[in-house]
Amino acid sequence: MYNPLNLNGLIPQLPIIQGGMGVGISLHQLAGHVASEGGIGVISSAQIGYRESDFLTHNLQANQRALQSEIKKAHTIAPQGIIGVNIMVALKHYKEMVQSALTAGADLIISGAGLPINLPTFTKGSKVKLVPIVSSGKAADIICKMWDRKNQVAPDGIIVEGPLAGGHLGFSLDSLKEKLNVLDLVKDVKKVIIPFEEKYQRKIPVIVAGGIYTGADVKKVLDAECDGVQMATRFVTTYECDAPPAYKQAYINAHKEDIGIIKSPVGMPGRAILNQYIQSPPGNKACLYHCLEKCEVNTIPYCISNALISAAKGNVDQALLFCGSNAYKAQKLEHVSEIFTEIKEAIIH
C-alpha cells in the first residue's frame, strides 16, 4: 500500500500528478477529469490564450483571461478536486501568469523550464502550493537555498524529471546519451533536501516524472520510496484530453523509431514525434508573440509558438508534436477513468 502524497497539507486521493502540456493540450477538460478521479489535474499556461480574438494584439491579456477561465472550468468539473497550473520560468510574463493563476484559485503551481527562484516572492501571502521541476540535485539545492534565504520557505514538493520525459528536457544532448536513470537523480535530490526538511519540520515529497506510462510503472516508482509520479503522455490519448483528434491520432500512429530528441528553438533539447515539419523546418522565423524572455529570432529554425499552436489546432503536418518516450505505446483512445482504474489495481494491494 502506498503512502498518501502530502504537499504540505494538500493531499490528493492518489499520488498522481498529470503533467502540464502546452500549447492547448492540457486544459480544463483533461485537468478536471484527472482531478475528479482523485489525481492532481494540471493546466498548462503556455500560450493558453491562442483561441482568444485579441491573442495577437494583446497577447498577455488574452493568456491571462484564458488561464483564469480554464481554471474555473476545471473546478466546475471537479469541485472537490485539486487543480494546478504549470507555468514555465522561461515565459516573458512569468510573474503576471503566476498572479493570474492565484486570482483564479489554482491549488498549486508547478514551475520548470528554468529555476523558479522568485516564485515564492510572487505568491507571498497566498495558500497556493509551490512545486518546482528539477533534473538534478544541484538545481534542487539552488532552489531550496534561495527560497530559504529570500522568503524563509521550502518547496511543498519537488518534481524530478528524468530523461524519458516529453517536451523540453533539462539535460544536455551529451548527458541524454548516457541513459541516466531518474531514480539516481531522485537519490541526489533527497540528499539535498534533508536540511530543509529538518529546518521546516516537514517532509518535502519527491515526485518522479518521465517515462511513466502504465500502472506497473507507477508501482515501480512508489516501491522505490518515491512519493508520487507525474505522467503526461498517457493522458494525451484519452477522450477527455483537450488535444484535437488529429494530435491524438499522431500518437496512436507513431512507432518507436518515430520519436526522438530535437533541438528546440528555445535552445533546449526536447522529445517529439519526428514528422516532416521537424526534420525539414520551413524556415518561417517571424516572431508574432514575444512569448519567451529570451528568443534568438535570427537563428531559430522556426517559431515554436506557431508550431505548437498548429498542433493544438490539429494541423499536425505543420506542427511540433511534443511527446514522451512511450508515446508509441498508445494503441487506442481510452477514458481517464480507465487509466486510474489500472493504476489503482497496480498499487493498491
Side-chain angles (χ1 to χ4, degrees):
M1 185 68 179
Y2 63 90
N3 294 318
L5 172 60
N6 186 343
L7 299 168
N8 196 13
L10 190 68
I11 307 172
Q13 295 173 26
L14 290 165
I16 309 296
I17 299 176
Q18 162 250 312
M21 296 172 283
V23 172
I25 306 305
S26 62
L27 299 175
H28 75 274
Q29 286 284 353
L30 179 56
H33 282 90
V34 168
S36 69
E37 291 294 329
I40 296 178
V42 178
I43 293 165
S44 170
S45 73
Q47 296 289 53
I48 193 171
Y50 72 97
R51 293 178 293 193
E52 298 290 307
S53 60
D54 59 345
F55 179 62
L56 282 177
T57 56
H58 300 90
N59 182 260
L60 171 59
Q61 292 81 359
N63 284 329
Q64 290 178 304
R65 191 185 317 123
L67 177 60
Q68 294 185 13
S69 174
E70 292 293 329
I71 292 171
K72 291 174 182 176
K73 288 177 183 177
H75 276 304
T76 299
I77 294 173
Q80 305 303 317
I82 299 174
I83 302 297
V85 180
N86 183 298
I87 307 178
M88 298 192 303
V89 178
L91 292 176
K92 186 174 183 179
H93 298 293
Y94 179 67
K95 178 181 179 180
E96 291 87 345
M97 295 306 288
V98 167
Q99 292 171 336
S100 291
L102 297 182
T103 300
D107 297 304
L108 76 159
I109 292 174
I110 295 171
S111 199
L115 299 179
I117 300 301
N118 295 317
L119 183 56
T121 301
F122 300 152
T123 60
K124 200 162 190 172
S126 75
K127 295 181 179 179
V128 71
K129 306 304 178 185
L130 306 179
V131 181
I133 300 175
V134 303
S135 295
S136 68
K138 181 180 179 181
D141 189 43
I142 293 171
I143 292 168
C144 288
K145 285 179 177 175
M146 293 296 288
W147 285 19
D148 175 54
R149 186 183 311 156
K150 295 177 65 176
N151 297 95
Q152 298 76 55
V153 299
D156 298 304
I158 295 178
I159 294 172
V160 182
E161 188 172 271
L164 298 181
H168 291 119
L169 304 171
F171 302 92
S172 67
L173 285 172
D174 287 339
S175 63
L176 284 170
K177 296 173 184 176
E178 295 173 9
K179 301 191 182 301
L180 298 167
N181 187 327
V182 69
L183 295 180
D184 291 332
L185 302 176
V186 166
K187 292 176 184 176
D188 295 338
V189 171
K190 283 189 172 185
K191 291 176 185 175
V192 162
I193 62 177
I194 289 173
F196 301 96
E197 291 180 318
E198 292 174 348
K199 178 173 180 177
Y200 291 97
Q201 293 295 293
R202 63 175 173 83
K203 180 178 176 61
I204 300 175
V206 176
I207 299 109
V208 175
I212 299 163
Y213 194 84
T214 66
D217 294 335
V218 176
K219 183 178 187 302
K220 180 180 178 182
V221 169
L222 297 180
D223 286 348
E225 299 184 351
C226 300
D227 300 293
V229 302
Q230 177 179 275
M231 50 196 297
T233 295
R234 178 73 183 273
F235 289 114
V236 170
T237 50
T238 59
Y239 292 101
E240 295 84 1
C241 181
D242 302 270
Y247 191 107
K248 301 175 187 182
Q249 193 61 45
Y251 274 43
I252 293 171
N253 292 345
H255 297 95
K256 190 172 184 178
E257 58 271 22
D258 297 327
I259 298 167
I261 301 297
I262 66 166
K263 183 178 180 181
S264 164
V266 306
M268 302 169 67
R271 181 172 281 105
I273 293 176
L274 304 177
N275 59 7
Q276 187 63 35
Y277 180 88
I278 294 303
Q279 296 184 74
S280 301
N284 180 10
K285 302 174 184 179
C287 180
L288 301 174
Y289 313 103
H290 308 286
C291 58
L292 299 171
E293 190 63 44
K294 296 179 182 178
C295 181
E296 301 295 335
V297 178
N298 295 324
T299 60
I300 58 174
Y302 53 88
C303 170
I304 191 167
S305 281
N306 276 339
L308 291 173
I309 290 169
S310 290
K313 291 181 176 180
N315 303 321
V316 296
D317 293 332
Q318 300 296 318
L320 169 57
L321 304 174
F322 276 141
C323 68
S325 58
N326 288 316
Y328 70 94
K329 292 183 179 179
Q331 300 296 314
K332 59 182 175 58
L333 293 178
E334 56 188 336
H335 288 287
V336 167
S337 59
E338 294 175 284
I339 296 173
F340 273 86
T341 296
E342 180 194 323
I343 292 171
K344 289 175 188 176
E345 289 174 353
I347 67 176
I348 299 176
H349 301 295

